[in-house]
Amino acid sequence: MPADTVFDKEALFSELSIENWIMPVVYAGHFSQVIWLHPSWAQQIKEGKHDFLVGKDTSTTTIRVTSTDHYYLSDGLYVPADQLENQKLLHLNVILVNPTEASSSQEENDEISSAKRLKLNTDDTANTATASSSKAEVPSSDLTDSKAEGGEEKTFAQDKLESLASCSLGNHARQLMEIVEVVLQVLQKGDAYVLDIDLDFFSVKNPFKEMYTQEEYKILKELYSFKKPDRNPTEEGLLDCVENRVRQLEDLEAAFADLCDSDDEETLKRFASYPRMKPLVQLVHSLKNRMETPDYEMVHQAGLTCDYSELPHHVSTEQEIEDLIQSVKVLLKKIPKPTLVTIARSSLDDYCPAEQVDVIQEKVLNVLRSAFGTLDVHLEYSADSSV
């Protein structure tokens, strides 16, 4: 995305989608901290803390980052810091959320629930944090705090959590406690945050696995595979990695654009003359055998998800959904009331299973009511936009 688009509201809205909205928000200066809470089957970004810059690339004028995580390298987004203008520092925490099994001790969860809920610091200047469970091609949960640094003074809730650490808690209860502590440390620095929830956090499909055969999907993974840099890459190695990746994606985009114009044998012969494109010929033949007019733009979009890891695919059972709901309930009851809650159903694009999305949504709304009280709900996908 061109960096200047961030400051043109109408142009920005036409460019944004569920998988790309966070970096523009950071570049605009609204958020500086994000916590991504994810289930075990969503592993796109490495666990832990990631601190990196987001800014305007002086050569392309697009938004780029200094993160060397494969998630960003595979999209060709990395540039060195000295190549960025209008730099914004982003603190990203990636944290796994395990389900609360029905057999887990209720006493463990009660111990966590006994900690006093932290209140936001409303005396500071306007600061914003975002908590979300979003796909961004990643089923997840993010907490984002704006530019506030805040003090280091401990709250009662933090003291309570630290005292719990010395108790003989079970592993699951201890993990939930640690997540709460990280969240509180972020939120105490600001006076507002957004909780963003994607319903495919609880159950997710890779829709492309249903669109294409196993052999076709295998070819897509071959065509779009991402060659990772060395374990300890130099800056030159990183730049070479990104340059090669960008060239690879541009070549594939151009090839599928040609196929949209014509997928005749002459076009395929031309592709076959390039070693890297030979699998594409086999893919086209397979698609044309199954359908009269393949949607090559959709095929390219599917390929873009086949880089260093596949899209998450885990259609949860009713019990698995409920177990994750209980974990989220424990976490939400210990964090301050958000300024805004956004929920992405992700059902029209088939990421959240259509037969489960309404049930999951109702469970999530019930958890939000339990944690934060009365809700003012607007259903933007419905003719009746308020309940």
Side-chain angles (χ1 to χ4, degrees):
M1 178 188 298
D4 292 344
T5 299
V6 168
F7 306 108
D8 182 339
K9 184 176 72 172
E10 297 306 323
L12 178 63
F13 287 169
S14 68
E15 292 280 345
L16 289 181
S17 59
I18 192 170
E19 78 277 0
N20 73 353
W21 65 272
I22 294 180
M23 290 304 122
V25 169
V26 172
Y27 178 72
H30 300 303
F31 300 144
S32 66
Q33 299 206 44
V34 172
I35 300 178
W36 176 40
L37 304 178
H38 66 95
S40 60
W41 48 82
Q43 300 287 340
Q44 291 91 323
I45 305 179
K46 287 186 296 187
E47 208 81 8
K49 296 186 67 175
H50 306 257
D51 297 334
F52 56 92
L53 299 173
V54 179
K56 179 179 180 179
D57 182 1
T58 56
S59 62
T60 65
T61 70
T62 54
I63 297 176
R64 292 291 184 264
V65 302
T66 59
S67 173
T68 58
D69 189 90
H70 294 158
Y71 181 80
Y72 299 104
L73 290 176
S74 66
D75 279 345
L77 296 179
Y78 167 81
V79 296
D82 60 9
Q83 200 171 314
L84 288 180
E85 294 179 341
N86 194 24
Q87 298 176 356
K88 301 296 192 301
L89 178 60
L90 173 61
H91 305 281
L92 169 64
N93 280 276
V94 179
I95 303 175
L96 171 67
V97 177
N98 287 313
T100 298
E101 297 179 5
S103 59
S104 295
S105 169
Q106 184 60 43
E107 292 181 1
E108 290 181 349
N109 291 334
D110 288 344
E111 284 186 287
I112 296 176
S113 299
S114 67
K116 184 178 180 180
R117 180 188 298 232
L118 174 68
K119 293 184 178 180
L120 291 174
N121 180 5
T122 56
D123 294 331
D124 289 344
T125 56
N127 305 312
T128 308
T130 302
S132 88
S133 174
S134 71
K135 178 166 65 254
E137 296 217 358
V138 275
S140 63
S141 167
D142 301 329
L143 278 157
T144 308
D145 187 356
S146 84
K147 294 172 287 187
E149 288 301 326
E152 296 300 323
E153 184 178 352
K154 293 180 180 179
T155 64
F156 175 86
Q158 284 178 289
D159 288 336
K160 180 67 175 176
L161 287 166
E162 288 178 2
S163 69
L164 283 175
S166 63
C167 299
S168 57
L169 293 177
N171 289 337
H172 177 66
R174 185 179 296 107
Q175 192 239 11
L176 288 177
M177 179 193 72
E178 290 171 350
I179 295 174
V180 170
E181 185 171 9
V182 171
V183 172
L184 294 182
Q185 288 172 349
V186 171
L187 294 187
Q188 70 173 342
K189 301 175 183 179
D191 62 359
Y193 79 97
V194 177
L195 172 65
D196 177 67
I197 302 172
D198 197 316
L199 299 186
D200 67 7
F201 171 90
F202 301 93
S203 183
V204 64
K205 290 198 307 184
N206 178 347
F208 300 118
K209 286 192 170 183
E210 295 183 351
M211 293 183 189
Y212 307 112
T213 66
Q214 286 187 357
E215 184 60 27
E216 289 165 354
Y217 198 72
K218 180 181 177 181
I219 295 173
L220 279 175
K221 290 195 290 184
E222 179 182 353
L223 285 167
Y224 287 83
S225 63
F226 169 60
K227 185 178 180 181
K228 300 177 183 178
D230 296 334
R231 183 177 296 273
N232 296 303
T234 62
E235 184 172 300
E236 182 181 1
L238 290 169
L239 290 174
D240 286 344
C241 170
V242 170
E243 182 181 355
N244 292 334
R245 180 60 172 173
V246 170
R247 187 183 303 116
Q248 175 191 9
L249 296 181
E250 287 177 346
D251 288 348
L252 286 164
E253 182 178 14
F256 279 101
D258 287 347
L259 287 170
C260 288
D261 293 335
S262 174
D263 60 359
D264 59 16
E265 285 303 316
E266 182 178 345
T267 301
L268 296 183
K269 285 180 181 179
R270 179 162 51 87
F271 289 154
S273 66
Y274 300 97
R276 287 202 320 182
M277 291 295 181
K278 284 185 177 180
L280 180 57
V281 177
Q282 181 184 351
L283 175 63
V284 172
H285 283 149
S286 177
L287 292 170
K288 292 178 72 173
N289 285 336
R290 292 197 305 110
M291 54 191 77
E292 184 176 346
T293 307
D295 184 345
Y296 291 115
E297 184 177 349
M298 181 63 72
V299 177
H300 176 55
Q301 292 302 315
L304 291 173
T305 69
C306 301
D307 36 40
Y308 65 96
S309 68
E310 293 184 18
L311 285 177
H313 184 83
H314 182 94
V315 178
S316 301
T317 65
E318 290 183 16
Q319 188 59 55
E320 286 175 321
I321 293 172
E322 183 60 31
D323 291 346
L324 275 174
I325 285 285
Q326 291 307 312
S327 289
V328 171
K329 183 176 182 179
V330 170
L331 296 175
L332 294 187
K333 279 182 171 291
K334 299 322 311 161
I335 65 175
K337 186 175 182 179
T339 307
L340 173 70
V341 179
T342 57
I343 298 177
R345 284 166 59 88
S346 295
S347 58
L348 294 181
D349 55 11
D350 289 328
Y351 282 96
C352 188
E355 66 276 13
Q356 294 179 324
V357 65
D358 289 327
V359 172
I360 294 173
Q361 177 173 303
E362 189 56 35
K363 287 178 178 290
V364 168
L365 289 175
N366 286 338
V367 166
L368 290 170
R369 293 186 183 100
S370 174
F372 304 126
T374 303
L375 305 177
D376 179 16
V377 180
H378 297 265
L379 305 177
E380 295 300 326
Y381 61 91
S382 171
D384 180 11
S385 63
S386 182
V387 265

